Amino acid sequence: MLKSTWMFWRQAIFKDKIKWVLLELRIPREIKKSPQGMEQVFTTLHALGNYAGTLDEKYWDGEVTRWFSLELVSFGGEIHFYIRTYQKHRNLVEAAFFSYYPDVEVAEVPDYVDKIPPNIKELYAMDHDLWGAELVLRREEAYPLRSYHDFEAPEEEQQFDPISVFLEVLGKLGKEETVAMQFLIAPVSPREWPKEFDALLQKLKEPKMKKEKKAGEVESFARMIARSPGETDVLKAVERNLSRPAFNTIIRLLYLSPR
């Protein structure tokens, strides 16, 4: 209990010293580049991760890995993309986007959260209501989500952007409605991420055995069963997922509207 309280205190001091900047990404109506570019942006963000390397940094400085906040917000159907980052990383974050998406405009903007009532009393006084949620995974983190790989095709007319349907819904909000989606991501050390799931990976790799018994014999014997195509695909997907840079992630949803 003493250790937990101490760490909370020291880490709170470290977090309070972090100066944030909110950048808006103004995206062209049409982007012909593959989503692979965005994956490279995430790889660059991962490289900016800081980790407590000594006992002094961990227990006295209270150093925690600084996170990024990726935010998708619709104000009455007007959609905005934001990234909230450590102020000293601003130039590096901008360079990461410009390297792969040179047509994107990046600009520092005031925090839109200041437009939202600061407490429930003022919210109800405006005759508005608020709903929020956090998303959680149903399985272990080693199992990947469906990504752009599942939607790509060699023929351009057969390619499908999975975010397009979502943006279509956000574009049809009422005038006073606000929907915000926030992805908080903090880089995970490459030494920690794959090791956590060694047991799961080993289990998926183990061949399946089936016990059988021949007619008239008392003892049964085991026979190896070949993996199904689906099981093979799962193993490949998990191995590919564990080989990539990982982030500790929280996904939040917020909906604000008149009652």
Side-chain angles (χ1 to χ4, degrees), residues 82-135:
Y82 300 102
I83 179 167
R84 198 181 301 266
T85 182
Y86 180 41
Q87 193 175 43
K88 290 185 178 181
H89 286 164
R90 174 180 175 172
N91 291 339
L92 296 173
V93 170
E94 289 183 358
F97 279 97
F98 290 144
S99 296
Y100 301 99
Y101 297 99
D103 296 331
V104 170
E105 294 181 25
V106 182
E108 183 177 351
V109 293
D111 196 340
Y112 64 88
V113 175
D114 295 334
K115 301 177 184 178
I116 299 176
N119 54 57
I120 294 296
K121 184 178 179 181
E122 291 188 27
L123 185 74
Y124 287 167
M126 294 172 57
D127 201 31
H128 278 56
D129 214 339
L130 187 71
W131 174 88
E134 286 189 2
L135 305 186

Side-chain angles (χ1 to χ4, degrees), residues 213-220:
K213 185 186 294 185
K214 289 184 178 180
E217 293 187 2
V218 178
E219 294 185 359
S220 61

Side-chain angles (χ1 to χ4, degrees), residues 155-169:
E155 298 79 14
E156 186 176 344
E157 62 274 8
Q158 292 183 6
Q159 291 189 4
F160 174 69
D161 185 355
I163 201 176
S164 58
V165 176
F166 190 61
L167 295 180
E168 188 69 24
V169 173

Side-chain angles (χ1 to χ4, degrees), residues 57-68:
E57 289 175 346
K58 181 177 180 180
Y59 292 104
W60 181 253
D61 296 338
E63 182 172 352
V64 297
T65 303
R66 297 184 191 90
W67 56 95
F68 302 88

